[in-house]
Amino acid sequence: EVEGSADAFNANPIGTGPFVVESFSPNDQVIYQANPNYRDPNKPYFASVNLKGGGDAASAARAVLQTGDWDHAWNLQVEPAVLADLAKGGKGTFYAVAGTDLERININHSDPNTEVEGQRSYYKQPHPFLSDKAVRQAMNLATDRDTITTQFYGEGELPTPDVLNGLPAFDSPNTSYEFNLDKASQILDDAGWTMDGDVRTKDGVQLKITYATTINSVRQKTQQVIKQAFEEIGIKVNLQQVDSGIFFDGSPGNEQNINHFYTDINMYTSGPSTPTPTDFMILWYTGPDASNIAQQANRWNGQNVTRYQNPEYDKLYDQVRVETDLEKAAQILIQMNDLLINDVAVIPLVNRAADKYANSNTLVNDNLAISSFELNYWNIANWTRTAS
């Protein structure tokens, strides 16, 4: 691969879709022009499209619902009361689509602060205390999902103990969640993590974590709820917020992105893109020779960004991806879900909507065809405006 060629292609990709890139400004916007060679000569119905990125969800909602500056805003992780107030602007409409996405706390199973073979968060270097299952169990018990969903999320977005959500065939009957600070403290006591002032220590290691997420009012409020509970049980928390355009940017040189994962825990949403969710469960799969783990060797593009390693999980994943019997596949996927939850490989928070989005009153909503398994723009060749 020619150095920088991937970056050049990402900035100006060539494809067969309804639009081609006119200009791209990282973390800001990409402007598309209609593709003159598109297979349907009568489409698309827009000469150009400007997609804004980065910034914050409340501003995006305001630009559609209140000021009318833009036509469509997706992934509006904004408090219900704020959205309802913005919708009074009369320039657009807010929609929610039930889905399978998971807002979660990702646990870094590698050490983000120790450099090994020229890289931090290297999968061969375990985390100094998050490798202790007792610490992960205590954190899970100190996570108040009910408060988070009730106060910061909308109708139909529910607290969850599971990785797989919104797909009845894969619902686990074996899991549950509990908010119990006394039990969390007892687990840490039993594991030898003792209070030293207001922070627990063991063998000279302090329970101090850096907790990162995007700049977003819902996520900042969630961070505060979790920080308060964690600190009550003796886990010191340093909060970090990163602009979403940087946080989710996959550039190999971007050390603040989720691929590098240079903090102890972070928080964001994703979910399956297919009805049989092996594409989502690959996020905890090691792969042959650790090839699926994000690292310098693959330019931090491995899908396992948390550096979780479990041979039993890998074996189940290898089985399910070649299983043709859907009922058997469902049972394997439930086993995989339960393994992740029982091992506290990740801390699920909220089963979010497939999307909470806003449209200008001039867009025909039915033509958007929003679903759990596609990006919002998959059907953009058929987007149209109202006649008025």
Side-chain angles (χ1 to χ4, degrees):
E1 179 182 311
V2 177
E3 183 67 27
S5 61
D7 295 337
F9 181 81
N10 288 338
N12 193 9
I14 299 171
T16 60
F19 293 95
V20 294
V21 175
E22 179 183 88
S23 64
F24 174 58
S25 301
N27 307 323
D28 179 21
Q29 66 181 354
V30 56
I31 298 176
Y32 294 92
Q33 295 292 335
N35 182 357
N37 301 311
Y38 188 55
R39 57 185 175 271
D40 188 330
N42 297 315
K43 298 177 182 178
Y45 299 110
F46 295 87
S48 64
V49 170
N50 184 352
L51 299 183
K52 295 284 287 183
D56 65 272
S59 295
R62 184 176 297 109
V64 175
L65 298 171
Q66 192 174 75
T67 67
D69 294 332
W70 300 98
D71 292 320
H72 178 77
W74 69 286
N75 193 25
L76 296 180
Q77 191 176 17
V78 181
E79 299 94 319
V82 174
L83 279 175
D85 188 58
L86 291 173
K88 295 175 183 176
K91 298 296 180 65
T93 305
F94 165 70
Y95 301 88
V97 178
T100 59
D101 285 350
L102 176 67
E103 179 83 359
R104 62 191 182 272
I105 293 175
N106 297 291
I107 295 171
N108 193 344
H109 296 272
S110 60
D111 187 346
N113 300 311
T114 300
E115 187 172 296
V116 177
E117 298 184 22
Q119 54 191 303
R120 292 151 54 196
S121 288
Y122 190 41
Y123 73 95
K124 293 182 180 180
Q125 183 68 29
H127 195 283
F129 57 82
L130 292 177
S131 55
D132 185 344
K133 184 177 177 179
V135 175
R136 304 196 303 271
Q137 289 174 320
M139 291 166 58
N140 189 46
L141 283 164
T143 300
D144 190 356
R145 295 165 175 84
D146 289 333
T147 293
I148 290 165
T149 51
T150 300
Q151 295 190 10
F152 311 141
Y153 286 83
E155 183 178 350
E157 296 186 291
L158 302 172
T160 180
D162 291 314
V163 169
L164 292 176
N165 298 275
L167 295 166
F170 311 123
D171 280 347
S172 173
N174 312 310
T175 56
S176 61
Y177 67 86
E178 179 183 7
F179 176 58
N180 191 323
L181 295 182
D182 290 337
K183 187 182 290 188
S185 293
Q186 188 63 57
I187 287 174
L188 293 173
D189 288 340
D190 293 345
W193 293 95
T194 58
M195 293 296 292
D196 182 6
D198 59 357
V199 180
R200 289 182 183 268
T201 64
K202 180 181 180 180
D203 300 329
V205 176
Q206 292 185 312
L207 293 186
K208 290 186 174 182
I209 63 173
T210 297
Y211 172 13
T213 191
T214 60
I215 298 171
N216 173 292
S217 63
V218 169
R219 287 192 169 132
Q220 267 66 87
K221 290 176 180 178
T222 300
Q223 279 187 314
Q224 290 295 337
V225 169
I226 291 170
K227 173 184 170 72
Q228 180 178 347
F230 280 16
E231 293 190 340
E232 284 189 41
I233 64 171
I235 302 174
K236 186 70 175 177
V237 180
N238 171 50
L239 299 180
Q240 185 180 102
Q241 297 86 36
V242 182
D243 182 275
S244 60
I246 297 172
F247 196 66
F248 296 116
D249 168 55
S251 300
N254 176 9
E255 295 188 353
Q256 291 183 280
N257 66 18
I258 60 174
N259 302 56
H260 283 74
F261 201 172
Y262 282 173
T263 60
D264 302 292
I265 62 175
N266 67 21
M267 181 174 68
Y268 56 89
T269 287
S270 64
S273 61
T274 61
T276 304
T278 53
D279 67 308
F280 188 51
M281 303 306 273
I282 199 174
L283 299 184
W284 295 274
Y285 177 64
T286 303
D289 300 318
S291 58
N292 192 51
I293 295 179
Q295 56 187 291
Q296 191 174 54
N298 55 32
R299 292 167 62 88
W300 287 278
N301 283 323
Q303 295 182 77
N304 182 346
V305 299
T306 64
R307 284 75 170 176
Y308 180 68
Q309 299 173 70
N310 187 318
E312 183 181 354
Y313 183 86
D314 289 352
K315 184 178 179 181
L316 290 170
Y317 183 82
D318 287 335
Q319 289 176 10
V320 78
R321 67 178 177 177
V322 296
E323 180 57 66
T324 56
D325 185 302
L326 290 180
E327 290 188 4
K328 291 180 180 179
Q331 290 306 309
I332 297 171
L333 285 161
I334 289 172
Q335 289 181 59
M336 294 169 69
N337 175 87
D338 294 353
L339 191 155
L340 293 175
I341 299 312
N342 292 331
D343 200 29
V344 200
V346 58
I347 301 177
L349 297 175
V350 185
N351 175 203
R352 290 186 56 191
D355 194 20
K356 294 164 68 175
Y357 66 96
N359 279 349
S360 160
N361 289 335
T362 68
L363 273 185
V364 177
N365 183 62
D366 289 347
N367 292 346
L368 270 62
I370 307 297
S371 80
S372 295
F373 305 115
E374 300 284 354
L375 294 175
N376 284 26
Y377 307 106
W378 76 272
N379 194 44
I380 199 168
N382 295 307
W383 286 21
T384 58
R385 292 200 184 279
T386 60
S388 57

